[in-house]
Amino acid sequence: MRDLTTPPRSRLERVLRSGRFAVTAELDAPDSADPNDVYQNALVLAEVCDAINATDGAGANCHMSSMGCCALLTRAGYEAVLQMGCRDRNRIAIQGDLLGAAAMGVRNVLCLTGDDVSAGDQPEAKRVFDLDSIQLLQVARMMRDRGVLLSGRKLRTPPQFFLGAVENPFAPPFDWRPLRLEKKVKAGAEFIQTQYCFDVPRLQQFMRRVRDLGLHERVYILVGVGPIRSYKAAEFMRDRVPGVWIPDAVMQRMAKTPKLQQAEEGKRICIEIIQQVREIEGVAGIHVMAYRQEEAVAEVIQRAGLLPRRPRSHGDRINQVIQTTRTDSVRCVLSS
Amino acid sequence: MVTHMKEARRMPGAEWLKNHPRWLERAYLFSKRIIMKAYPVMKRIHPRFANWLMVRSEEVLKGWVFNCQMCGQCILHSTGMTCPMNCPKNLRNGPCGGVRPNGHCEVIPEMPCVWVQAWERSRTMLIFADDIKVIQPPVNRTLQNESAWVTMIEGRDVQTPKGWGWDA
Ligand code: SF4
């Protein structure tokens, strides 16, 4: 059972506890050193979701770090989810980063293993994988609840995190996935974001097992969805992005659509999936991912009838921050 | 495409053995009993040789059957008699989300995912089938290249960092 006696640690947790169907969205970290590139993307997403995930080298490609993005987002008053992968850091770096993130006001952390370096643009890199995602979860939980580092050294102020993990119900071994989810919950996961769902029957099967295990009452499950831009993009995702499963029915639907209407068809498929997913008992929300298509994400969420989202973004504050970063004086805003 | 990673190496006959993990389970318990008795004696006679012998025989024997990577803290019986260090991501607690639809590894496409195999094999085990649900602590990298048999006898393989568990 969930521990509801402690006050919620983040806005996202508050939304989930209230029982409202939650929406999170993924921000594409820019290939840029300009904070405005982050804010521009965030501006669109913040209107339509409860929290923004900053990816951690998605697909093992190098982008602005999740830490950097989250620092900018929290600074502007957004609810950010820090994605922490095990591919690039050993346990020393991970714990240090967790403390740093907490100090900057990040309250949601998503612990994941991460795509292998071979999937990305720099396959020559050394893979680290010192911890795995479940160990990372436990380490983060121990830092929070016991106020110690892995070595046992005390923290003066422990970080306050709402801890998340990922799961992929669409990859084998299928009958182990729910049990692995249980392991993650035991290790400390309080919310789950899944891989892209294009196969609702398989998700239903997964959720049935999850409910049998009683996990839906212990962890909030947000199902990953996203609009496909074109048939080509679908093919790329299916063949090249690790862990994405697109059934033939969806592929055929995209293939049959004329090229110019494929983007629209992709959105329609996504909305249909959202509506089906909402009906499944134990699903607490959705997590919308779409590479470089913030507008499409916003449109899908709106057309699926999931607006308005509250708490609304701090619209005025963000505009102010964008203005001031342009003139290079963020400090004014922070001190005001 | 053939990947030349050491994780992908498989020796003849080893797959058959691993697909019949009930034998290996018994062999594990049996060898544990023998080693627990024999090693302290050997150590008293010649500690350096005893240790050398353990490391070498483990390298050869477990290297052949399990493609053992000599992590020095063996959890084979909790992972369906499939060595988790053969996972290119070194995962100790189960598969990542990148397993291909055909059950193969994300990193080494021609190799079946270690964890898919581990799960299937653990289902046929009699004694340690449910040990796969146990949360495994972070790997102690200082034990690399030591004999897991020796560290087990000395109890060093199950020592976890102070900040890991509740009752540490
Ligand atoms: S000692 Fe470590 S590397 Fe060797 S078989 Fe056991 S788990 Fe694998």
Side-chain angles (χ1 to χ4, degrees):
Chain A
M1 267 305 156
R2 275 183 202 116
D3 177 18
L4 295 177
T5 51
T6 52
R9 295 192 168 88
S10 74
R11 283 207 316 257
L12 178 62
E13 184 171 11
R14 200 170 309 141
V15 170
L16 285 165
R17 278 196 192 178
S18 76
R20 265 169 29 102
F21 196 73
V23 178
T24 57
E26 197 162 278
L27 176 103
D28 295 312
D31 299 333
S32 157
D34 184 356
N36 280 320
D37 289 327
V38 174
Y39 289 135
Q40 231 79 67
N41 294 348
L43 210 48
V44 185
L45 296 178
E47 295 297 325
V48 294
C49 69
D50 300 306
I52 302 175
N53 276 54
T55 54
D56 181 20
N61 293 303
C62 182
H63 304 291
M64 186 192 284
S65 71
S66 181
M67 279 287 268
C69 292
C70 284
L72 292 168
L73 291 174
T74 51
R75 180 189 284 187
Y78 288 130
E79 180 75 353
V81 181
L82 177 81
Q83 296 201 175
M84 180 63 79
C86 299
R87 179 202 339 128
D88 311 317
R89 316 174 179 76
N90 66 9
R91 57 194 86 180
I92 301 174
I94 284 178
Q95 293 166 76
D97 277 355
L98 285 177
L99 289 179
M104 287 183 305
V106 178
R107 290 287 169 265
N108 309 293
V109 176
L110 188 74
C111 303
L112 35 84
T113 308
D115 298 323
D116 185 70
V117 292
S118 56
D121 62 344
Q122 298 177 42
E124 317 84 356
K126 179 163 174 27
R127 46 175 77 77
V128 180
F129 297 111
D130 186 21
L131 300 180
D132 67 29
S133 55
I134 291 176
Q135 294 160 353
L136 168 57
L137 269 168
Q138 171 113 345
V139 168
R141 181 164 63 97
M142 289 298 152
M143 286 171 72
R144 180 188 72 192
D145 293 350
R146 273 183 69 201
V148 291
L149 294 171
L150 192 53
S151 64
R153 201 141 48 77
K154 272 246 166 311
L155 298 167
R156 195 182 302 155
T157 306
Q160 290 303 317
F161 287 138
F162 182 45
L163 289 173
V166 294
E167 187 51 77
N168 187 356
F170 314 100
F174 298 115
D175 36 348
W176 192 8
R177 293 283 167 187
L179 290 166
R180 184 163 170 271
L181 185 71
E182 189 176 32
K183 233 184 187 185
K184 291 196 164 181
V185 173
K186 269 195 210 138
E190 292 158 301
F191 72 98
I192 299 288
Q193 293 178 324
T194 77
Q195 181 58 277
Y196 277 111
C197 169
F198 292 107
D199 191 345
V200 179
R202 184 155 284 166
L203 180 73
Q204 278 162 338
Q205 217 176 317
F206 172 81
M207 287 302 297
R208 241 195 314 276
R209 279 292 285 143
V210 167
R211 287 196 300 270
D212 289 346
L213 293 167
L215 293 176
H216 65 304
E217 285 171 352
R218 293 166 63 189
V219 68
Y220 302 103
I221 297 172
L222 304 160
V223 177
V225 293
I228 320 175
R229 197 177 350 199
S230 63
Y231 178 71
K232 260 228 181 104
E235 243 179 355
F236 178 85
M237 267 164 62
R238 187 191 58 184
D239 300 337
R240 302 287 302 282
V241 182
V244 176
W245 160 248
I246 305 183
D248 291 340
V250 174
M251 292 303 284
Q252 274 160 18
R253 226 176 118 176
M254 289 303 283
K256 270 195 292 206
T257 318
K259 249 212 169 91
L260 281 174
Q261 286 145 36
Q262 280 180 355
E264 174 57 28
E265 185 68 11
K267 284 179 210 159
R268 222 172 296 149
I269 293 174
C270 181
I271 294 165
E272 281 167 26
I273 290 174
I274 294 176
Q275 270 145 6
Q276 289 168 22
V277 159
R278 271 189 93 162
E279 302 300 315
I280 303 177
E281 191 194 337
V283 173
I286 51 164
H287 172 59
V288 194
M289 301 171 274
Y291 188 63
R292 302 258 146 93
Q293 323 178 56
E294 289 78 21
E295 267 78 19
V297 170
E299 190 189 332
V300 163
I301 295 171
Q302 190 241 327
R303 280 169 55 188
L306 295 170
L307 292 185
R309 309 304 310 168
R310 238 172 299 135
R312 300 290 292 268
S313 79
H314 298 206
D316 300 337
R317 182 115 185 259
I318 177 68
N319 283 331
Q320 205 180 345
V321 171
I322 290 177
Q323 292 285 315
T324 46
T325 42
R326 287 216 176 101
T327 56
D328 239 350
S329 53
V330 184
R331 251 171 284 136
C332 307
V333 181
L334 289 177
S335 55
S336 70
Chain B
M1 186 178 64
V2 175
T3 322
H4 296 281
M5 287 172 71
K6 63 180 189 305
E7 286 92 338
R9 190 180 52 198
R10 292 289 178 275
M11 295 314 234
E15 290 309 291
W16 185 89
L17 266 177
K18 283 187 284 185
N19 284 333
H20 297 77
R22 284 185 196 179
W23 293 95
L24 294 171
E25 255 180 322
R26 299 241 171 71
Y28 164 70
L29 286 176
F30 181 69
S31 58
K32 188 171 167 181
R33 272 232 304 279
I34 300 220
I35 290 163
M36 290 281 246
K37 292 230 172 66
Y39 180 70
V41 180
M42 278 160 54
K43 201 176 159 188
R44 222 168 306 139
I45 300 168
H46 196 308
R48 283 241 313 282
F49 177 73
N51 194 44
W52 177 87
L53 189 70
M54 294 297 248
V55 174
R56 281 303 291 158
S57 48
E58 194 167 330
E59 256 172 15
V60 172
L61 264 173
K62 277 167 75 183
W64 171 59
V65 184
F66 304 109
N67 192 19
C68 171
Q69 306 292 320
M70 297 300 286
C71 73
Q73 46 213 297
C74 204
I75 53 164
L76 275 172
H77 63 282
S78 324
T79 55
M81 289 296 172
T82 308
C83 171
M85 302 316 266
N86 279 220
C87 165
K89 295 185 182 176
N90 276 199
L91 304 181
R92 301 272 279 196
N93 278 302
C96 70
V99 185
R100 290 164 194 265
N102 64 358
H104 279 220
C105 173
E106 169 195 331
V107 186
I108 309 173
E110 70 274 11
M111 179 176 89
C113 167
V114 169
W115 285 104
V116 172
Q117 291 186 320
W119 172 250
E120 280 163 6
R121 288 169 181 162
S122 76
R123 293 308 86 197
T124 69
M125 283 165 71
L126 290 176
I127 311 167
F128 297 111
D130 279 344
D131 278 24
I132 203 162
K133 294 176 189 161
V134 174
I135 296 182
Q136 299 292 341
V139 181
N140 180 351
R141 310 279 169 186
T142 60
L143 298 183
Q144 181 70 42
N145 295 331
E146 284 201 52
S147 162
W149 289 328
V150 173
T151 58
M152 177 189 71
I153 292 170
E154 294 172 353
R156 283 188 290 146
D157 62 334
V158 287
Q159 270 170 20
T160 52
K162 273 213 204 78
W164 171 253
W166 281 108
D167 32 40

